[in-house]
Amino acid sequence: MLLDKDRLFPTDPAVRNLARSLYDDICDLPIISPHGHTDPRWFAENKPFSDPAQLLVTPDHYVFRMLHSQGIPLEAMGVPREDGGKTEQDPRKIWRLFAENYYLFRATPSRIWVDHVLQEVFGIYKPLSAETADEIYDHIDNCLTQDAFRPRALFEQFNIEAISTTESAIDDLKWHKLIQQSGWGGKVVTAYRPDAVIDPEFDGFADNVQKLGEMAGEDTTTWQGYLAAHRNRRAFFKSFGSTSSDHGHPTARTENFDPSVAANLFDKALRGECSADEADAFRGHMLTEMARMSLDDGLVLQIHPGAARNHSDAIFTKFGRDKGYDIPSRTDYVNALKPLLNAVGGEPDLTIIVFTLDESSYARELAPLAGVYPALKLGPPWWFHDSYEGMMRFREMATETAGFYNTVGFNDDTRAFCSIPARHDVARRVDSAFLATLVATGRLAENDAREVSYDLAYRLAKQAYRL
Amino acid sequence: MLLDKDRLFPTDPAVRNLARSLYDDICDLPIISPHGHTDPRWFAENKPFSDPAQLLVTPDHYVFRMLHSQGIPLEAMGVPREDGGKTEQDPRKIWRLFAENYYLFRATPSRIWVDHVLQEVFGIYKPLSAETADEIYDHIDNCLTQDAFRPRALFEQFNIEAISTTESAIDDLKWHKLIQQSGWGGKVVTAYRPDAVIDPEFDGFADNVQKLGEMAGEDTTTWQGYLAAHRNRRAFFKSFGSTSSDHGHPTARTENFDPSVAANLFDKALRGECSADEADAFRGHMLTEMARMSLDDGLVLQIHPGAARNHSDAIFTKFGRDKGYDIPSRTDYVNALKPLLNAVGGEPDLTIIVFTLDESSYARELAPLAGVYPALKLGPPWWFHDSYEGMMRFREMATETAGFYNTVGFNDDTRAFCSIPARHDVARRVDSAFLATLVATGRLAENDAREVSYDLAYRLAKQAYRL
Amino acid sequence: MLLDKDRLFPTDPAVRNLARSLYDDICDLPIISPHGHTDPRWFAENKPFSDPAQLLVTPDHYVFRMLHSQGIPLEAMGVPREDGGKTEQDPRKIWRLFAENYYLFRATPSRIWVDHVLQEVFGIYKPLSAETADEIYDHIDNCLTQDAFRPRALFEQFNIEAISTTESAIDDLKWHKLIQQSGWGGKVVTAYRPDAVIDPEFDGFADNVQKLGEMAGEDTTTWQGYLAAHRNRRAFFKSFGSTSSDHGHPTARTENFDPSVAANLFDKALRGECSADEADAFRGHMLTEMARMSLDDGLVLQIHPGAARNHSDAIFTKFGRDKGYDIPSRTDYVNALKPLLNAVGGEPDLTIIVFTLDESSYARELAPLAGVYPALKLGPPWWFHDSYEGMMRFREMATETAGFYNTVGFNDDTRAFCSIPARHDVARRVDSAFLATLVATGRLAENDAREVSYDLAYRLAKQAYRL
């Protein structure tokens, strides 16, 4: 067995029994995955996944960054180079490298996710290591040729009730169209991610804005036309099930400028003349514009701030974005969110979900803010904090001030499709452990705990994201 | 039963037994409440409290902010409007709203406090809910008509040995006078809170300073007269039992200017010409002046920094201060306290008690500072951190570097009179849990734990506050 | 017994058994002490230690700062004054003062270390107190006259396989020479600490740089000569076993300037004309130069940033540096380390070990950085965090993202020689407790835990420091 059946539960036998009992009630609930980065093409084409390395190693930044931290070049794991330079092409070699170094993942969430995938998806019960590498490779490779392991079959096996992918505002959503037209019953929706047309520092910003205009049939050389184009695209995204927009800015800064100030900044941005501060201000103002549009069209606004992206110039030059070199940084919320919250934070029909990579803000800033502003809710622990300790710290630091009902359940935020059940299972176990501890220490009645447990595992995500 | 008799104790049976044993020794000790915001008028007039909503809902910012966070307008909870606009006047309706939404408080300290009040003060053993709202309302309402539930009777029943209220430097202390004259034996003292005459940004600062001069018989248009007026008022407060001053600045900044610089800043402040930075500098300098006065008159200096007040303009305009929209912010202590500590930090007869809303400073800044400066002590977890997890984090993060004897016991800091026993009980339980864990892990001898337990529950607060 | 044989293990009986079993396997492993501040003269001369106060009280800043925090003057503990003023000279009086106030250390790491020394080194089983002060003093004093308590005998008894002291770049290493020449088999190496010749704000910087040139036979009035002198001295230190350099800057700032910019800053520094920011920039640039030299000579680069030194002017004036008045401050790593990491962070043969006093950076910045950059490793919890809670927080916050293999085992960083076994024992116990908890919660297989346990207790330090 790779997985302990009582994993992540408290060690005290009585509390463990209670945690298990809470967990047993909710472990088979359908998965609501309201925020993530799976590829809609998988579900549109429903082709088999190519090989074990492509499925579990090469595209997973948690995995390749850890191997890389011990001196293994990204090329050796098949991570593609921007300059087209040579990288390892043999999936079996990549898999062996992963297997030999699998000890590096001891006590990391990646280890739990991968073990879960091996055991629960592929029926493997031996630990991965240099010795078992080939045998496990062959086993998975063989599975991938079977229909039961195609994307749609796995989707159904995973008991996913609804999943959201994330697409750029200037994506044509052709894979979503194909899914819609296919008649397949799986609920795969999109989310509106406009960073490329909102961030003046984004590669090709002006061209992106022009393309936005073309797609929307609006004149995006003017501020009003630009806003109209956003409205148009949001409606288009909604026609593919979208219930949310998503924004990944370097800071949590928001602004609420007069229209003339905003229009001026927009003109400067289009001309490529924004200073770094003006670019940040423009991004911040656009969050408030997005929130105002949300008041009309009902999309949930998600703010994911605080990553210092592409920390290594050398890696960025050679491999491009999203190569494990994004590092969390200290993030202010109290001052940063004030303009947005003053503009729309009192609206009970608006939902703004904020995430953080800076845990020092949970108890100090985020829980107090979410514990009073009607529009504000706290997203679950995110990215580096999507783990046993990370989730436990979130509950311990946020719950006393924000309660459970200003949070929105779990989301997996992943591109690693097979890990989705693993991640939701971790969240359900950690919440069961937390709730059982509350009951055992007289802080929550057991029947209340059962209700909260259901809410955290299923209802809150469905409700907050309107899925 | 609303309350588990072993609540907040560790779950391991042996450690729980030890925690209970420690707790049993100190649970009936008298309450020292050296810092809080109860209304002296209650004890002066000794009139019955009006109704359950006024007692437990409308004035409690922890309660109304949570309901508000889910979209309930403050008006519906009877929170008075600054502009005199309509608010709910029917206490039963307010109570029902509270009861229906009581599930929002699951796992929050408010839930423990309110349940404690319901069970221990009013003898209610059924959970509050929509179903029980009226029955519980009627029961409490009936209690409030009885003499045993008047303020002085409750004071005695709560076993309060001494309580401090907090009054503005320009308060006439008439309720304290009435208490003194009444011959009643309850020890209710005041604390000197001069924010209104120290903070150049306080509403009506110049008028307040003039009033201060009139009350003190000093010419507060001059710097020397202003300082003399403070000395005079502090003496006046001392005649009503005051042993401390209290300062709630936005930052922990202190300064120690030459008198001419300070006098200049004071002149600018009186003329309303201080920049934001100068206002902060003046407040900071006044902390050092207050500390110097403390060297003469023995008042304990309390610094409560770090709240970004009135975060929502709309709520502030409509409802005024203290409406749940004060949010903790990141607070520096190392540099901020340096001028004050360099001026007086080495004085062994001076006591400066510092509080924080920024837990990241416990282990990093506050414990190291309190662990070396003779004058500096750490106040207990405050406001949003006055809770099981908050108290546990404080002990875990501060004790190893500051020890127990650079801390000052618990204070409840509350305006919710009936919650005082509940809050001290939580502190006593959490400390018992912490001490029992230390003993069980070989970090503290059991007989030492018993001595520390008594100190934390009773002696340290009495000694630090000279009560 | 002063020490509980199961101290620091989890309280749940099953998990405790597992922790004890893990600990039993590694508790007798030799000690690798790759970073510390013991005096090489002890091992060179091998003279007896003078008396119990000089051994355990007067030189230990953890001890005297705690007593001082309660109003005891440093003079009373025999701490020498810079101005030659009178201090207590009677070691028995100092010892009694310590004993009377020993209760202040309850639940601090100092208490565990001192109790460990009393019991395990001196065979004392009674708690230290006013009553036992003289008896224990006499006992230790008598021990110190015996050969078995001389430095080399203790070194062997402590089972130290290798220890590193720390010397200034302009130290002549005469005690290390004596050790080398003595033929004694104990492995005592030095570490290259160039703060005095790298920090433009260091007392006597220009003179120090001149002395560096003289010792190295290089012209340190030029930038190239200055760098050459460093290379020369590093080689000299390597001839006394050094495998590392160590850098204790106020911030973690690094820079990677063009040589001409660096040379200019160096000239300004020599002329005493650097602004505070330029001094910081120069220090930061020198870290990158040191790293480049490490690529050639293989020394491990240690960065120990974040202490605001000499917080009290009065104490600094009277007693000088290192008097317990160094306070951690908030430290940025993401931006600060970027120039260094961009220059050399991808080098798999380089080892940069970074420490912190700001625990809020563990999960947010340091673990994500060490979890991707090949050259970067995390040092163990340091200084105020070298304790049960500090070590546990480190493991809980760093492991999930950095894993175990981007950390480097424990180092004691101490000047208190007798406390070395105590400190390593604490680390081994805490890691056993942490690992046992991981196993019990299904996050680590037991056989993997045994391997990790050995690595943390012994192998990782030996490997990372190339000892």
Side-chain angles (χ1 to χ4, degrees):
Chain A
M1 296 288 284
L2 298 177
L3 303 173
D4 180 334
K5 74 179 179 29
D6 282 337
R7 63 193 179 279
L8 310 186
F9 293 158
T11 56
D12 181 89
V15 193
R16 171 163 286 205
N17 284 342
L18 179 55
R20 190 191 303 113
S21 155
L22 290 169
Y23 172 77
D24 284 347
D25 278 3
I26 53 95
C27 66
D28 292 328
L29 285 173
I31 286 174
I32 304 291
S33 175
H35 178 99
H37 301 274
T38 51
D39 190 342
R41 184 172 181 174
W42 298 332
F43 311 115
E45 299 192 318
N46 200 32
K47 286 189 187 164
F49 292 105
S50 65
D51 62 72
Q54 272 305 318
L55 188 70
L56 296 172
V57 183
T58 304
D60 187 333
H61 57 86
Y62 291 92
V63 166
F64 64 66
R65 80 193 305 276
M66 177 62 93
L67 271 67
H68 179 60
S69 76
Q70 292 281 311
I72 298 172
L74 296 182
E75 287 91 338
M77 291 169 278
V79 178
R81 284 175 58 165
E82 290 275 296
D83 58 6
K86 250 186 88 132
T87 62
E88 183 56 58
Q89 296 298 312
D90 180 346
R92 188 178 293 269
K93 277 196 189 158
I94 295 169
W95 183 260
R96 282 177 186 161
L97 189 66
F98 176 48
E100 284 158 21
N101 289 285
Y102 196 51
Y103 73 94
L104 296 175
F105 295 93
R106 286 170 181 164
T108 69
S110 293
R111 172 71 180 243
I112 289 191
W113 299 332
V114 173
D115 277 357
H116 189 113
V117 171
L118 294 179
Q119 179 171 317
E120 299 297 310
V121 181
F122 294 105
I124 293 159
Y125 292 86
K126 283 185 193 173
L128 180 63
S129 68
E131 288 69 44
T132 60
D134 279 339
E135 179 188 344
I136 291 176
Y137 183 92
D138 292 334
H139 179 90
I140 298 174
D141 209 39
N142 176 47
C143 285
L144 295 180
T145 63
Q146 303 168 27
D147 283 350
F149 291 87
R150 291 191 186 227
R152 292 186 187 172
L154 288 175
F155 185 100
E156 284 151 18
Q157 190 210 313
F158 294 168
N159 196 16
I160 296 173
E161 181 176 315
I163 196 169
S164 177
T165 66
T166 305
E167 271 74 42
S168 166
I170 49 179
D171 189 286
D172 58 11
L173 303 185
K174 74 173 168 180
W175 304 114
H176 280 278
K177 260 178 234 171
L178 264 174
I179 297 169
Q180 242 183 23
Q181 292 161 359
S182 75
W184 175 55
K187 182 167 187 176
V188 180
V189 305
T190 183
Y192 187 67
R193 176 91 177 218
D195 294 359
V197 293
I198 273 185
D199 177 2
E201 296 176 326
F202 206 95
D203 228 38
F205 170 74
D207 292 345
N208 298 338
V209 170
Q210 193 186 333
K211 189 168 175 199
L212 179 79
E214 287 160 12
M215 296 178 93
E218 297 284 349
D219 174 10
T220 52
T221 63
T222 74
W223 172 239
Q224 287 307 328
Y226 172 71
L227 293 180
H230 274 294
R231 276 185 219 103
N232 176 295
R233 294 300 293 166
R234 291 166 65 104
F236 181 70
F237 272 61
K238 280 188 72 175
S239 75
F240 292 97
S242 176
T243 68
S244 66
S245 70
D246 182 37
H247 308 270
H249 297 178
T251 72
R253 180 168 176 181
T254 64
E255 294 290 354
N256 184 18
F257 294 125
D258 280 342
S260 64
V261 175
N264 263 332
L265 270 180
F266 176 65
D267 290 345
K268 277 184 113 163
L270 278 190
R271 292 196 307 270
E273 292 171 2
C274 276
S275 68
D277 183 67
E278 287 169 331
D280 203 41
F282 184 73
R283 288 188 294 261
H285 177 76
M286 284 307 297
L287 289 178
T288 306
E289 292 293 350
M290 289 288 120
R292 276 195 277 260
M293 293 182 196
S294 287
L295 284 172
D296 292 332
D297 63 21
L299 294 191
V300 169
L301 180 81
Q302 300 175 88
I303 305 178
H304 281 92
R309 302 266 170 185
N310 312 312
H311 198 267
S312 162
D313 296 338
I315 297 292
F316 181 59
T317 304
K318 216 165 166 188
F319 297 94
R321 290 168 168 266
D322 299 326
K323 291 304 172 291
Y325 273 91
D326 301 333
I327 313 291
S329 47
R330 205 186 290 142
T331 306
D332 161 66
Y333 292 90
V334 176
N335 298 304
L337 294 181
K338 196 168 178 175
L340 173 71
L341 292 174
N342 265 284
V344 298
E347 299 287 347
D349 296 332
L350 176 65
T351 302
I352 301 170
I353 300 175
V354 67
F355 294 78
T356 195
L357 293 167
D358 180 357
E359 294 178 315
S360 75
S361 68
Y362 283 152
R364 186 182 60 215
E365 304 177 32
L366 289 177
L369 285 167
V372 72
Y373 275 104
L376 193 67
K377 299 284 175 282
L378 300 188
W382 172 45
W383 197 341
F384 293 105
H385 307 314
D386 174 13
S387 60
Y388 174 85
E389 301 287 352
M391 291 176 185
M392 203 51 98
R393 281 197 292 269
F394 173 73
R395 291 288 177 217
E396 288 172 354
M397 294 201 275
T399 307
E400 293 184 326
T401 294
F404 292 112
Y405 295 97
N406 289 306
T407 67
V408 299
F410 180 67
N411 69 58
D412 52 74
D413 190 32
T414 192
R415 13 196 127 234
F417 181 46
C418 287
S419 78
I420 288 177
R423 290 166 190 253
H424 285 263
D425 186 65
V426 168
R428 289 169 178 189
R429 285 174 179 272
V430 175
D431 283 337
S432 298
F434 180 67
L435 293 170
T437 303
L438 292 180
V439 173
T441 53
R443 290 182 275 165
L444 187 66
E446 187 176 333
N447 54 337
D448 287 354
R450 289 194 190 275
E451 205 173 298
V452 172
S453 176
Y454 176 83
D455 292 343
L456 300 183
Y458 180 73
R459 196 181 64 82
L460 282 175
K462 201 171 155 79
Q463 178 187 49
Y465 283 91
R466 304 163 189 201
L467 281 165
Chain B
M1 296 290 284
L2 298 178
L3 303 173
D4 180 334
K5 74 179 178 32
D6 282 336
R7 65 193 176 279
L8 311 185
F9 293 157
T11 55
D12 179 88
V15 193
R16 171 162 288 203
N17 284 342
L18 179 56
R20 189 192 302 114
S21 156
L22 290 169
Y23 172 76
D24 284 346
D25 278 3
I26 52 95
C27 66
D28 292 327
L29 286 173
I31 286 174
I32 305 291
S33 175
H35 178 99
H37 301 275
T38 51
D39 189 342
R41 183 171 181 173
W42 297 334
F43 310 114
E45 299 192 319
N46 200 30
K47 286 190 186 164
F49 293 105
S50 66
D51 63 72
Q54 272 307 316
L55 188 69
L56 296 171
V57 182
T58 303
D60 187 333
H61 58 87
Y62 291 92
V63 166
F64 64 67
R65 80 192 305 276
M66 179 62 92
L67 271 66
H68 178 61
S69 77
Q70 293 281 312
I72 298 171
L74 296 182
E75 288 91 336
M77 292 169 278
V79 178
R81 286 177 55 165
E82 290 275 296
D83 59 5
K86 251 186 86 132
T87 62
E88 182 56 59
Q89 296 299 311
D90 180 347
R92 188 178 293 269
K93 277 196 190 157
I94 295 169
W95 184 259
R96 282 177 186 162
L97 190 63
F98 176 49
E100 283 158 21
N101 288 284
Y102 196 52
Y103 72 96
L104 297 175
F105 295 93
R106 286 170 182 165
T108 70
S110 293
R111 172 70 180 243
I112 288 192
W113 299 333
V114 173
D115 277 358
H116 189 113
V117 170
L118 294 179
Q119 179 171 317
E120 299 297 311
V121 181
F122 294 106
I124 293 159
Y125 293 86
K126 283 185 193 174
L128 181 64
S129 68
E131 288 70 42
T132 60
D134 279 340
E135 179 187 344
I136 291 177
Y137 183 92
D138 291 336
H139 179 89
I140 297 174
D141 208 38
N142 176 47
C143 286
L144 294 180
T145 63
Q146 302 169 30
D147 284 349
F149 291 86
R150 291 190 185 228
R152 291 184 187 174
L154 288 176
F155 184 102
E156 285 150 15
Q157 190 211 312
F158 293 168
N159 197 17
I160 296 173
E161 181 176 314
I163 196 170
S164 177
T165 65
T166 304
E167 270 75 41
S168 167
I170 49 179
D171 189 286
D172 59 10
L173 303 185
K174 75 172 168 182
W175 304 114
H176 280 277
K177 261 178 235 172
L178 262 174
I179 296 169
Q180 240 183 26
Q181 291 161 2
S182 75
W184 175 56
K187 182 165 187 176
V188 179
V189 305
T190 183
Y192 187 66
R193 175 91 178 218
D195 292 0
V197 293
I198 273 185
D199 177 2
E201 295 176 327
F202 206 96
D203 227 35
F205 170 74
D207 292 345
N208 298 340
V209 170
Q210 192 186 333
K211 188 165 175 200
L212 180 80
E214 286 160 13
M215 295 178 94
E218 297 284 349
D219 174 8
T220 51
T221 64
T222 75
W223 172 240
Q224 288 305 330
Y226 172 71
L227 293 180
H230 274 294
R231 277 185 217 104
N232 176 294
R233 294 301 293 167
R234 289 167 65 104
F236 181 70
F237 272 62
K238 279 187 73 174
S239 75
F240 291 97
S242 176
T243 68
S244 66
S245 70
D246 181 38
H247 307 273
H249 298 179
T251 72
R253 178 170 178 181
T254 65
E255 294 289 355
N256 185 18
F257 293 125
D258 280 342
S260 63
V261 175
N264 262 332
L265 271 180
F266 176 65
D267 290 346
K268 277 184 113 163
L270 277 190
R271 293 196 307 270
E273 293 171 2
C274 276
S275 68
D277 182 66
E278 287 169 332
D280 203 42
F282 183 74
R283 289 188 294 261
H285 177 77
M286 285 307 296
L287 289 179
T288 306
E289 293 292 350
M290 289 288 120
R292 277 196 276 261
M293 292 182 197
S294 287
L295 283 173
D296 292 332
D297 63 21
L299 294 192
V300 169
L301 181 80
Q302 300 174 90
I303 305 179
H304 281 90
R309 303 264 170 187
N310 311 312
H311 198 268
S312 162
D313 296 338
I315 296 293
F316 180 60
T317 304
K318 216 167 168 186
F319 297 94
R321 289 169 167 266
D322 298 326
K323 291 303 172 293
Y325 273 90
D326 301 332
I327 312 291
S329 46
R330 205 187 292 142
T331 305
D332 161 67
Y333 292 91
V334 176
N335 299 302
L337 294 180
K338 196 168 178 176
L340 173 71
L341 292 174
N342 265 283
V344 299
E347 300 286 347
D349 296 334
L350 176 65
T351 302
I352 300 170
I353 300 174
V354 67
F355 295 78
T356 195
L357 292 168
D358 180 357
E359 294 178 315
S360 76
S361 67
Y362 283 152
R364 186 181 60 214
E365 303 178 29
L366 291 176
L369 285 167
V372 71
Y373 275 104
L376 193 67
K377 300 281 175 285
L378 300 188
W382 172 46
W383 199 341
F384 293 107
H385 307 315
D386 176 13
S387 61
Y388 174 86
E389 300 286 354
M391 291 177 186
M392 203 50 98
R393 281 196 293 268
F394 173 72
R395 291 287 178 216
E396 289 172 352
M397 294 200 276
T399 307
E400 293 184 324
T401 294
F404 291 113
Y405 296 96
N406 289 307
T407 67
V408 300
F410 180 67
N411 70 57
D412 52 73
D413 189 34
T414 192
R415 10 195 130 235
F417 181 47
C418 287
S419 77
I420 288 177
R423 290 166 190 253
H424 285 261
D425 186 65
V426 168
R428 289 169 179 190
R429 285 174 179 272
V430 176
D431 283 337
S432 299
F434 180 68
L435 293 171
T437 302
L438 292 179
V439 172
T441 53
R443 289 182 277 164
L444 187 65
E446 186 176 333
N447 55 337
D448 287 355
R450 290 197 188 274
E451 205 173 298
V452 172
S453 175
Y454 176 82
D455 292 344
L456 299 183
Y458 180 72
R459 196 182 63 82
L460 282 174
K462 201 171 155 80
Q463 178 188 49
Y465 282 92
R466 304 163 189 202
L467 281 166
Chain C
M1 295 290 284
L2 297 177
L3 303 173
D4 180 334
K5 75 178 177 32
D6 282 337
R7 63 194 178 279
L8 311 185
F9 293 156
T11 56
D12 180 88
V15 192
R16 169 163 288 205
N17 284 341
L18 179 56
R20 190 192 302 113
S21 156
L22 290 170
Y23 172 77
D24 284 346
D25 278 3
I26 52 96
C27 65
D28 292 328
L29 285 173
I31 286 174
I32 304 290
S33 174
H35 178 99
H37 301 273
T38 51
D39 189 341
R41 183 172 182 173
W42 298 333
F43 310 114
E45 299 193 317
N46 200 32
K47 286 189 186 163
F49 293 105
S50 65
D51 63 72
Q54 272 306 317
L55 189 69
L56 296 171
V57 182
T58 304
D60 187 333
H61 57 87
Y62 290 92
V63 166
F64 64 66
R65 81 192 306 274
M66 178 62 92
L67 271 66
H68 178 61
S69 77
Q70 292 281 312
I72 298 171
L74 294 181
E75 287 91 337
M77 291 168 279
V79 179
R81 285 176 56 164
E82 289 276 296
D83 60 5
K86 251 186 86 136
T87 62
E88 182 56 58
Q89 296 299 311
D90 181 346
R92 189 178 292 269
K93 276 196 189 157
I94 295 170
W95 184 260
R96 282 177 186 161
L97 189 65
F98 177 48
E100 283 158 22
N101 288 285
Y102 196 52
Y103 73 95
L104 297 174
F105 295 93
R106 286 171 181 164
T108 70
S110 293
R111 172 70 180 243
I112 288 192
W113 300 332
V114 173
D115 278 357
H116 189 112
V117 171
L118 293 178
Q119 179 170 317
E120 299 297 310
V121 181
F122 294 105
I124 294 159
Y125 293 85
K126 284 185 191 173
L128 180 64
S129 68
E131 289 68 43
T132 60
D134 279 340
E135 180 187 345
I136 290 176
Y137 183 92
D138 291 336
H139 179 89
I140 298 174
D141 209 38
N142 175 49
C143 286
L144 294 181
T145 64
Q146 302 169 28
D147 283 349
F149 292 86
R150 290 191 185 226
R152 292 185 188 173
L154 289 175
F155 185 100
E156 285 150 16
Q157 190 210 312
F158 293 168
N159 196 18
I160 296 174
E161 180 177 315
I163 194 170
S164 177
T165 66
T166 305
E167 271 75 42
S168 167
I170 49 178
D171 190 286
D172 58 11
L173 304 186
K174 74 172 168 182
W175 303 115
H176 280 278
K177 261 177 234 170
L178 264 174
I179 296 169
Q180 240 182 25
Q181 292 161 359
S182 74
W184 174 56
K187 183 167 186 177
V188 179
V189 305
T190 182
Y192 187 66
R193 176 91 178 217
D195 293 1
V197 293
I198 272 184
D199 177 2
E201 296 176 327
F202 206 94
D203 228 37
F205 170 73
D207 292 345
N208 298 339
V209 170
Q210 192 186 335
K211 188 165 176 202
L212 179 79
E214 287 160 11
M215 296 178 93
E218 297 283 351
D219 174 8
T220 52
T221 63
T222 73
W223 172 238
Q224 288 306 328
Y226 172 71
L227 293 180
H230 273 294
R231 278 186 217 104
N232 177 293
R233 294 300 293 166
R234 290 166 65 106
F236 181 70
F237 272 61
K238 279 188 74 175
S239 74
F240 293 97
S242 176
T243 68
S244 66
S245 71
D246 181 37
H247 307 271
H249 297 178
T251 70
R253 178 171 178 181
T254 64
E255 294 290 355
N256 184 19
F257 293 126
D258 280 341
S260 63
V261 175
N264 263 331
L265 271 179
F266 177 64
D267 290 345
K268 277 184 112 163
L270 278 190
R271 293 197 307 269
E273 291 170 3
C274 277
S275 68
D277 182 66
E278 287 169 331
D280 204 40
F282 184 74
R283 288 188 295 259
H285 177 76
M286 284 308 297
L287 289 178
T288 305
E289 293 292 350
M290 289 288 121
R292 277 196 277 259
M293 293 182 196
S294 288
L295 283 173
D296 293 330
D297 64 20
L299 293 191
V300 169
L301 181 80
Q302 300 175 88
I303 305 178
H304 282 91
R309 303 265 169 186
N310 312 311
H311 198 268
S312 162
D313 297 338
I315 296 293
F316 180 59
T317 305
K318 216 166 167 187
F319 297 94
R321 289 168 167 265
D322 298 325
K323 292 303 171 293
Y325 272 91
D326 301 333
I327 312 291
S329 46
R330 205 186 291 142
T331 305
D332 161 67
Y333 291 91
V334 175
N335 298 304
L337 295 180
K338 196 169 178 176
L340 173 70
L341 292 173
N342 265 283
V344 297
E347 299 286 347
D349 296 332
L350 176 66
T351 302
I352 300 170
I353 300 175
V354 67
F355 294 78
T356 195
L357 293 167
D358 180 357
E359 294 178 316
S360 75
S361 67
Y362 283 152
R364 186 182 59 214
E365 303 177 32
L366 290 176
L369 285 167
V372 73
Y373 275 105
L376 192 68
K377 299 282 175 284
L378 299 187
W382 172 45
W383 198 340
F384 293 107
H385 307 316
D386 175 13
S387 60
Y388 174 86
E389 300 287 352
M391 291 176 186
M392 203 51 98
R393 281 196 293 269
F394 173 73
R395 292 288 176 216
E396 289 171 354
M397 295 200 275
T399 307
E400 293 185 324
T401 295
F404 292 112
Y405 295 97
N406 289 305
T407 67
V408 299
F410 181 65
N411 69 59
D412 52 74
D413 190 33
T414 192
R415 3 191 139 239
F417 181 47
C418 288
S419 76
I420 289 176
R423 289 167 191 253
H424 286 262
D425 185 66
V426 168
R428 289 168 179 190
R429 285 174 180 273
V430 176
D431 282 337
S432 299
F434 180 67
L435 293 170
T437 303
L438 292 179
V439 173
T441 53
R443 289 182 277 165
L444 187 65
E446 187 176 333
N447 53 337
D448 287 353
R450 290 197 189 273
E451 206 173 297
V452 172
S453 176
Y454 176 82
D455 292 343
L456 300 183
Y458 179 73
R459 196 181 64 81
L460 282 175
K462 201 170 155 79
Q463 178 188 49
Y465 282 93
R466 304 165 189 200
L467 282 165

